[in-house]
Amino acid sequence: MTLQLDTASALALTPGTTSLAPGVGANTETPCSGLFDHEGRQHIRTALERAARPDYPAWLGHVESAAACTRPIRLHGNLATVDTRTGELLTVRHTSTLPDGVIYKACGNRRHTVCPACATTYQHDAYHLVRAGLVGGKTIPETVRTHPAVFATLTAPSFGPVHTRDVRHCACRDKTRCTCRPAPCHARRDAPSCPHGRPLACWQRHAVGDEQLGRPLCPDCYDHNHHVVWNHHAGELWRRTKQHAERHLNQLARQRGLPRVRLSHGKAAEYQARGAVHFHILLRLDGIDPGQPEVITPPPTGITVDDITAAVTLAATTITYTTPAHPDQPGGWPIAWGHQHEIRPITLSASGDALDDQAVAAYLAKYSTKGTEATGHTSRRLTADTIDLYANPTGTHPERLIAAAWNLGHTPEWRGLRRWAHMLGFGGHFLTKARRYSITFGSIREQRAAYKRAHALNRGQPRPEGHPETARFQRQAVLDTKTEETTLVIGFLTYAGTGWHTTGDQLLANTAAAQARERTRAGREELAHQQACSSSTPLAA
């Protein structure tokens, strides 16, 4: 297992100031003096100094909840304990009595390039959220296993020729490490040139990870404005597509004398190397109970997976609309899907062209932790002070896209393009779902918090099975109204900073978290081995 550690200090460039540039600042930690002066590496020296303190075990337990985070949030203030039955204020405690005088909270960022630990937690939550909508569990009825479902991939249209890696028949399971021989990028016998004198042919067979992939053959011919506008309106295009597919299925239901149906979806967005967003969508067919419209009901048996595939294909190839007028484009821009799309059925056990539920859940969970890093660009939200660091109308492909989004967003009606210029115009969530498809992230996090509270209360007093009892998984609406606990801890906390105090603290916390993960992994492997041995048939003597 590789330990991912950010060894740069999270402090500002100079004490008491804030760095305007994205990322972490330079190392401004207070030099240690004493027993560890001989150690030249500062992060080792500060780690030794922390570990030598008598309160080190208490500090390590205090930061346990955020130990794996690369940039935890530090909070300070008062913690009040209230009796929920009488409203009596039992105790008030200030964070100054805690190690470091603050509470550490994991940042919760979903992107692997920002915080691998928090992104892994988000990815696991996304996996269980998506899979619960396919196989049931966690308040979702297990009858959803029988619902017809498909997995669709819808892409953006072309805004100009770009360098591609075209593998006609790929046999690799991991497409990111494909070793198949690709076809020439843009093979043209006539070898034409664009109006700017650049050739529109490319005979290279690009390898995986080639920096040219996704870059236009002619940057000046590429329609960067249309590109960022399409990204900005991709969410509305999907809404209209799903609405059209659902209407088509209900027309089929009426013709066949069947009751109404609806499509419930889970959707993940992913950036292509050229910077265009494409969607990976899970669509499940549900029935509708007029008396209980909120209940997930099995659909009628007269509509099949082939009907869903035909409905989605029809919607993806016919739905198009035009954006409102812009001073640079009075007629607006056409918004439609590209010609490349794929729709495959989902089954509990994959066979043929079908996908199984675990693969689909893993796909969507993996895509939900990605961002613009596939395009070669990563930044936080841009402002007038930082836009010049990333935008250039005559620069690289990502720089031109950012410049196009910023320039088009100068009018009030298109201001959203400036807000999402760092995302190349796309302002939607990377993982979305229909309200009735599955559980919510909030309910999963609340269940995890309840388990941790139960685990902390029973620490030192294990139950016969060795695990504390936890409440049954419930929907978020039920969890919001629960008042079973007799005491309630209310925090009056304010922001104190981001990141660890020293790189040594980060080294120790991340190492302890990595060891805990390794122990958990080893325990799971041992349990799986014991279950396999107990279920296997003994050999004959």
Side-chain angles (χ1 to χ4, degrees), residues 281-349:
I281 309 155
L282 187 158
L283 287 161
R284 186 189 70 204
L285 186 68
D286 294 340
I288 300 177
D289 185 351
Q292 296 178 308
E294 298 297 323
V295 177
I296 300 176
T297 307
T301 57
I303 298 180
T304 64
V305 169
D306 292 337
D307 294 326
I308 302 175
T309 302
V312 176
T313 302
L314 177 64
T317 55
T318 58
I319 289 297
T320 181
Y321 72 98
T322 304
T323 67
H326 187 277
D328 294 350
Q329 187 81 5
W333 287 273
I335 304 298
W337 297 110
H339 297 298
Q340 294 182 348
H341 61 268
E342 182 183 29
I343 304 172
R344 300 171 64 182
I346 301 173
T347 62
L348 295 183
S349 57

Side-chain angles (χ1 to χ4, degrees), residues 381-405:
R381 182 160 290 160
L382 302 177
T383 64
D385 296 327
T386 59
I387 184 63
D388 291 337
L389 297 173
Y390 301 98
N392 185 354
T394 60
T396 63
H397 183 56
E399 290 174 344
R400 291 180 184 232
L401 290 173
I402 296 171

Side-chain angles (χ1 to χ4, degrees), residues 338-425:
H339 297 298
Q340 294 182 348
H341 61 268
E342 182 183 29
I343 304 172
R344 300 171 64 182
I346 301 173
T347 62
L348 295 183
S349 57
S351 59
D353 292 334
L355 292 170
D356 64 71
D357 58 293
Q358 294 185 3
V360 171
Y363 284 158
L364 295 187
K366 178 184 70 174
Y367 298 140
S368 67
T369 60
K370 294 184 177 181
T372 57
E373 56 270 11
T375 68
H377 162 78
T378 54
S379 71
R380 300 179 183 177
R381 182 160 290 160
L382 302 177
T383 64
D385 296 327
T386 59
I387 184 63
D388 291 337
L389 297 173
Y390 301 98
N392 185 354
T394 60
T396 63
H397 183 56
E399 290 174 344
R400 291 180 184 232
L401 290 173
I402 296 171
W406 189 265
N407 293 334
L408 291 175
H410 69 275
T411 61
E413 297 80 6
W414 293 81
R415 193 171 299 167
L417 282 173
R418 286 198 170 184
R419 176 178 173 82
W420 300 107
H422 65 297
M423 302 302 291
L424 311 182

